[in-house]
Amino acid sequence: MTHRVDAPEQAIDFNNENANTSANPTFESVLGARLSRRGLLRGSVGSVGTAMLAGFGVSACGGSDDPAVTPPPTGSKLLGFGAVPKSLADVVAVPAGYTASVIFALGDPIAAGVAAYKNDGTDGDFDKRAGDHHDGMEWFGLGADGKRSDNATERGLLAINHEATTDEKLSSYFLHANGGTTTLPRPAAEIDKETAIHGIAVIEVAKSGGKWAYAQNSALNFRLTSLSPIEISGPARGSAQLFTKFSPTGTTTRGTLNNCGTGRTPWGTFLTGEENWFGYFTRGAADDAARGNDKSVTSLKRYGRTQGAASRHGWESGGADDKYQRWNNSKTGTSVDGTDDYRNEMNGMGYIVEIDAYDKTRMAKKRTGLGRFAHESAAFGKVVAGQPLSIYMGDDSRGEYIYKFVSTATWNAADANANDRLAIGDKYLDSGKLYAAKFNADGTGSWVELSLTNTAISGYATYKFADAADIVINTRLAADAVGATKMDRPEWNAVNPANGEVYFTLTNNSARSANPGSGQYLPDAANPRAYTDMKGTTKQEGNPNGHMVRLKEGTSVLAFTWDVYLFGAEASADKTLINISALTDEQDFSSPDGLAFSKATGICWIQTDDGAYTDVSNCMMMAAVPGQVGDGSKKTLTYTKTDGSKFDVVTPVGKAATADTLKRFLVGPKGCEITGLTETPDGKTIFVNIQHPGESTGMANLADPAKFQSQWPANAGYGAGKRPRSATIVITKNDGGNIGT
Ligand code: FEO
Ligand code: CA
Ligand code: CA
Ligand code: CA
């Protein structure tokens, strides 16, 4: 989803909400504290130098049960390609020697007999077509028998998130011939299209005659939409907070929504994160009083729904049918327990959902043990037999937190190939401990368990937690209670297969300020920048370009060390306060978001969803060869308060990037974000998503294709019509080599 920092102020910003009004420390108390030099520099200081591929696969997988990968050919140089220049062109640009092709765009049919997409606003049957706003994506290999094969490299399933849609004043305007209805009530026929283009798709893809394509008629293809039945699993299953007219026992709900980041389990299932789901629900203007101002009001506010909140698309206005009424999260019934209305409906969204991509007959499961927030990706730490599994997650809103889940069950390698994959999910994802991260100014950090055994939670004055279900449903409030560290919008995270370190993108944060006003907070060690960047004549304040932190786990499950891996910045920006990573024109980027490591090459792929630097370049994808936590040194950022006093923020920063360790690989078409990346196990093919090209077109320009902000992918020769479409592309190297060499 777009997160443009330059977006015009709207009454409601559905994608960049700021509901964290907790008084949690943001390091005010430790500002200026001097770091222990020894603490920062401890650990080996490895030199990456010119990274060569030889033997990488061996070191990457040493000591873990991750599936073995084929080492790339000895001598291939990582990042050996020529950097792609920044660009405002309406194309997908990749380095010389590479080919990028579109294979699956909004509206493409995924079942036999469904007509080709006309792309003029008249198409229907969206539950049998590609959804909109392709986002996170994972590969699931298929053998010649059409069954799971983890080593397959030329046939597989892609599980793809369809996060949202390009909208204006309620309507998803590219979906409707005339742009759709922008006032309430909205026609049911428009709503039915819009609910169907959200969710996920699973499609079969294969390489034939050297060319990749998806298989429209594959029996393995399927969609889940924002209305598909999904089971509630884990600690919140059966909770009274999930009782609805649809599920009076709180055990099922309908739909997965605003699916953003992804994960792939060691047992071969797909994980999808529900991100900005709250914006799809409305609440009545007097709903607080209707609820008796009980604690559900505190919960709703913390999740961005104050009473009177309007919904993003007005789906509740489609009529009396339950499938429309469920988007009204108000208390409208007379029951005590909520079984006659949808006052609890929002509590069924905001989870990591597990889906068996290989078996469309199995109902997906919301894994509530992993907490409820604006989920992005879910990345597994190193998988080691006999040890618990760790899953890392971020909550993408301004000032929200970083989390990890640690399973109760210890890993049994035989589970990797079990036939009943969702039963294995029950084993590892429904029982465990959930932790929130606290970053200390000295480069250490701690994981704080979110449990009633912690008196900070059991005695929390703002919200009285009843039980374990209450904690996972109200994860943000529990993390507030324990004083977790407010971050600059945690987007994706990914685990470096070489050493298990966890990388997080912190995409940007307009609320960070050296002179904080209401709803703003000071820079701190882990979120150390607050500055002004100009976009034309517009001032962009806070941390407009974003940064990345990385964590190294300690010997205790409760402790980690960390540093800032990279700061996004313009190459020409000041190198003491802004371009601290000294990025060059071949390396500069803004608003890191999507993130994935290649298990084949070790390359760290960084994707942007930017609005700050888009006067100079469209969104892009960087290739990086990172070192490790502690390989750099500390930096001091000095700020001046309005009263003239100064204060320092001292932060550990990773070793500076070189031309051999960071390079721009791809630039996308106009108005898009680049997001989602998955690869074949040999590292020779990657799939990447181009989300919302032309998103700033505007409904008023719909009648004239010449006025579209983008005409991609039609201008690349793909499909009918000229309306821009989100799409999956496939990238191969012309010499058959590994991607990124
Ligand atoms: Fe869907 Fe936070 O990006
Ligand atoms: Ca995004
Ligand atoms: Ca600028
Ligand atoms: Ca994202």
Side-chain angles (χ1 to χ4, degrees):
M1 171 50 54
T2 176
H3 283 125
R4 296 178 303 150
V5 293
D6 63 337
E9 278 305 312
Q10 296 173 328
I12 301 156
D13 183 344
F14 296 112
N15 303 314
N16 195 353
E17 150 257 10
N18 187 12
N20 191 350
T21 54
S22 74
N24 272 14
T26 53
F27 286 140
E28 291 93 328
S29 55
V30 290
L31 275 173
R34 289 291 159 186
L35 285 179
S36 149
R37 192 168 189 85
R38 208 176 41 147
L40 280 171
L41 297 178
R42 82 164 151 263
S44 60
V45 182
S47 173
V48 174
T50 301
M52 304 297 281
L53 281 163
F56 180 88
V58 176
S59 65
C61 295
S64 90
D65 282 4
D66 286 338
V69 294
T70 309
T74 304
S76 303
K77 186 183 177 225
L78 285 182
L79 276 48
F81 57 88
V84 174
K86 286 167 280 192
S87 166
L88 294 170
D90 196 27
V91 301
V92 172
V94 292
Y98 285 83
T99 299
S101 310
V102 182
I103 59 164
F104 186 61
L106 164 68
D108 279 344
I110 65 163
V114 179
Y117 193 55
K118 294 194 288 290
N119 193 25
D120 59 4
T122 64
D123 300 272
D125 298 330
F126 276 94
D127 57 339
K128 300 183 188 70
R129 298 181 181 278
D132 204 354
H133 282 210
H134 303 39
D135 204 323
M137 175 168 52
E138 302 287 341
W139 163 270
F140 297 91
L142 288 171
D145 58 358
K147 299 273 195 302
R148 176 182 173 187
S149 171
D150 289 351
N151 296 321
T153 58
E154 300 198 343
R155 183 184 181 194
L157 299 172
L158 289 178
I160 302 169
N161 282 344
H162 291 297
E163 185 182 34
T165 188
T166 303
D167 51 4
E168 183 179 307
K169 292 180 193 156
L170 299 170
S171 182
S172 167
Y173 57 93
F174 287 127
L175 235 53
H176 310 301
N178 63 355
T181 306
T182 58
T183 52
L184 296 176
R186 299 197 59 222
E190 289 183 10
I191 294 169
D192 293 345
K193 279 191 187 183
E194 293 173 12
T195 52
I197 52 86
H198 286 70
I200 66 108
V202 173
I203 55 161
E204 181 177 341
V205 296
K207 188 175 170 185
S208 175
K211 207 168 157 38
W212 284 91
Y214 85 98
Q216 175 184 343
N217 299 340
S218 171
L220 297 170
N221 296 343
F222 69 97
R223 286 285 318 282
L224 295 182
T225 75
S226 50
L227 289 169
S228 303
I230 300 185
E231 189 173 344
I232 304 286
S233 200
R237 180 181 173 83
S239 163
Q241 293 181 66
L242 287 160
F243 288 3
T244 63
K245 192 174 168 187
F246 176 76
S247 181
T249 56
T251 52
T252 54
T253 187
R254 277 170 297 184
T256 184
L257 198 56
N258 212 263
N259 304 77
C260 187
T262 52
R264 189 187 190 284
T265 66
W267 52 96
T269 59
F270 178 58
L271 299 181
T272 176
E274 299 176 333
E275 190 191 6
N276 292 309
W277 37 273
F278 36 82
Y280 294 81
F281 295 90
T282 187
R283 274 190 73 207
D287 193 45
D288 287 1
R291 291 169 183 266
N293 285 297
D294 66 8
K295 73 177 197 177
S296 72
V297 173
T298 307
S299 167
L300 285 160
K301 285 182 180 164
R302 187 63 182 84
Y303 283 90
R305 288 292 87 175
T306 54
Q307 65 177 355
S311 66
R312 180 170 180 164
H313 297 291
W315 289 345
E316 74 282 354
S317 71
D321 192 305
D322 198 60
K323 70 180 178 182
Y324 308 117
Q325 289 308 308
R326 59 85 58 114
W327 301 108
N328 180 358
N329 202 78
S330 310
K331 183 183 178 197
T332 58
T334 54
S335 70
V336 173
D337 62 4
T339 54
D340 60 347
D341 61 17
Y342 288 101
R343 79 189 71 157
N344 294 323
E345 186 74 345
M346 235 175 75
N347 289 339
M349 292 287 181
Y351 300 102
I352 293 290
V353 185
E354 185 181 17
I355 297 162
D356 189 342
Y358 291 108
D359 187 352
K360 63 184 178 187
T361 69
R362 297 294 304 272
M363 191 183 290
K365 295 193 175 196
K366 301 216 175 188
R367 297 298 184 185
T368 62
L370 279 63
R372 176 169 166 268
F373 42 89
H375 275 286
E376 295 277 340
S377 63
F380 282 77
K382 273 207 159 185
V383 175
V384 180
Q387 293 189 15
L389 300 178
S390 295
I391 303 171
Y392 300 90
M393 300 169 289
D395 181 357
D396 180 13
S397 279
R398 292 194 290 272
E400 294 297 345
Y401 310 124
I402 284 173
Y403 298 91
K404 82 166 168 180
F405 173 86
V406 178
S407 66
T408 303
T410 58
W411 178 242
N412 175 355
D415 289 336
N417 296 303
N419 288 323
D420 188 345
R421 287 174 283 271
L422 290 174
I424 304 302
D426 293 343
K427 174 180 174 182
Y428 293 104
L429 302 179
D430 282 350
S431 176
K433 291 179 177 173
L434 187 61
Y435 302 85
K438 282 173 97 160
F439 289 76
N440 302 318
D442 65 356
T444 66
S446 55
W447 293 108
V448 187
E449 188 187 342
L450 304 179
S451 151
L452 278 174
T453 60
N454 185 333
T455 54
I457 292 178
S458 59
Y460 191 43
T462 303
Y463 186 90
K464 184 74 185 154
F465 287 97
D467 51 24
D470 206 359
I471 290 175
V472 296
I473 292 170
N474 292 288
T475 311
R476 284 181 171 175
L477 286 160
D480 291 346
V482 302
T485 302
K486 291 180 173 179
M487 307 298 287
D488 284 351
R489 296 187 48 207
E491 284 266 5
W492 289 57
N493 77 94
V495 172
N496 184 346
N499 58 17
E501 293 182 359
V502 191
Y503 285 64
F504 272 90
T505 54
L506 300 166
T507 192
N508 57 60
N509 189 353
S510 56
R512 200 64 73 174
S513 173
N515 293 283
S518 173
Q520 296 185 312
Y521 20 83
L522 288 165
D524 60 38
N527 305 275
R529 290 189 309 177
Y531 58 97
T532 301
D533 173 75
M534 297 305 294
K535 184 178 183 183
T537 55
T538 304
K539 274 187 178 178
Q540 305 183 125
E541 311 270 11
N543 176 13
N545 302 120
H547 63 291
M548 296 173 64
V549 294
R550 58 185 173 186
L551 284 58
K552 177 190 175 79
E553 293 282 24
T555 48
S556 156
V557 71
L558 300 176
F560 62 88
T561 52
W562 63 273
D563 66 10
V564 176
Y565 166 50
L566 277 177
F567 290 97
E570 301 180 10
S572 60
D574 170 82
K575 290 193 171 53
T576 57
L577 285 176
I578 303 173
N579 187 14
I580 299 165
S581 297
L583 305 180
T584 66
D585 276 309
E586 297 186 332
Q587 300 171 319
D588 59 345
F589 66 93
S590 176
S591 301
D593 185 338
L595 187 67
F597 277 88
S598 165
K599 283 189 173 174
T601 62
I603 287 175
C604 176
W605 296 102
I606 303 164
Q607 302 169 318
T608 71
D609 174 11
D610 186 38
Y613 201 20
T614 43
D615 51 340
V616 172
S617 182
N618 299 338
C619 287
M620 58 187 70
M621 185 165 89
M622 314 297 296
V625 183
Q628 60 197 16
V629 171
D631 65 8
S633 60
K634 69 177 179 182
K635 304 270 187 191
T636 301
L637 287 75
T638 301
Y639 291 101
T640 306
K641 306 281 284 183
T642 41
D643 67 4
S645 63
K646 292 186 187 301
F647 66 91
D648 288 346
V649 176
V650 182
T651 187
V653 179
K655 185 179 178 182
T658 69
D660 289 327
T661 62
L662 181 66
K663 197 178 278 187
R664 189 177 304 104
F665 180 84
L666 178 151
V667 178
K670 291 180 175 179
C672 79
E673 80 173 77
I674 308 297
T675 183
L677 183 146
T678 192
E679 65 180 354
T680 55
D682 58 3
K684 295 181 187 303
T685 302
I686 64 171
F687 302 90
V688 171
N689 282 324
I690 309 296
Q691 188 183 101
H692 60 66
E695 70 159 351
S696 298
T697 294
M699 190 178 287
N701 294 319
L702 198 57
D704 181 3
K707 292 182 178 167
F708 294 176
Q709 183 192 20
S710 168
Q711 293 188 5
W712 189 90
N715 66 6
Y718 190 88
K722 291 188 173 173
R723 294 183 178 195
R725 300 160 73 187
S726 296
T728 302
I729 61 171
V730 58
I731 301 174
T732 50
K733 197 174 182 206
N734 299 347
D735 67 2
N738 288 94
I739 309 303
T741 56

